[in-house]
Amino acid sequence: EIKTIIHIPNTEIIINGNNDGKINLYSYKNLSKIGSFPKEHTGTIRSLAYIKNSTYIISGSNDYNIILS
């Protein structure tokens, strides 16, 4: 179940966080999964943020961790 979603500006990439602790990347142009981050959270992903002009995503979870991926 998807709990949070963001779009990376100036790209076709959408990133979502799930209740199983996974973060997935999708192309909205062809609606296909293009990748994922290694599962680092043990709880539901509650928030995602993109660091402008970088390749980093910050995620927050019910496991009380904030992870820079």
Side-chain angles (χ1 to χ4, degrees), residues 21-35:
K22 292 182 183 175
I23 299 172
N24 298 303
L25 290 78
Y26 291 87
S27 166
Y28 70 77
K29 288 196 177 191
N30 59 14
L31 302 176
S32 64
K33 184 175 176 180
I34 57 174

Side-chain angles (χ1 to χ4, degrees), residues 4-33:
T4 185
I5 189 167
I6 61 172
H7 170 253
I8 305 301
N10 303 316
T11 73
E12 63 180 59
I13 298 173
I14 295 173
I15 300 176
N16 71 26
N18 299 315
N19 62 348
D20 60 3
K22 292 182 183 175
I23 299 172
N24 298 303
L25 290 78
Y26 291 87
S27 166
Y28 70 77
K29 288 196 177 191
N30 59 14
L31 302 176
S32 64
K33 184 175 176 180

Side-chain angles (χ1 to χ4, degrees), residues 20-58:
D20 60 3
K22 292 182 183 175
I23 299 172
N24 298 303
L25 290 78
Y26 291 87
S27 166
Y28 70 77
K29 288 196 177 191
N30 59 14
L31 302 176
S32 64
K33 184 175 176 180
I34 57 174
S36 62
F37 289 93
K39 184 177 177 181
E40 297 184 35
H41 285 289
T42 58
T44 300
I45 307 284
R46 292 292 181 185
S47 60
L48 293 169
Y50 168 71
I51 299 175
K52 188 176 180 180
N53 299 323
S54 75
T55 58
Y56 294 106
I57 299 295
I58 299 172

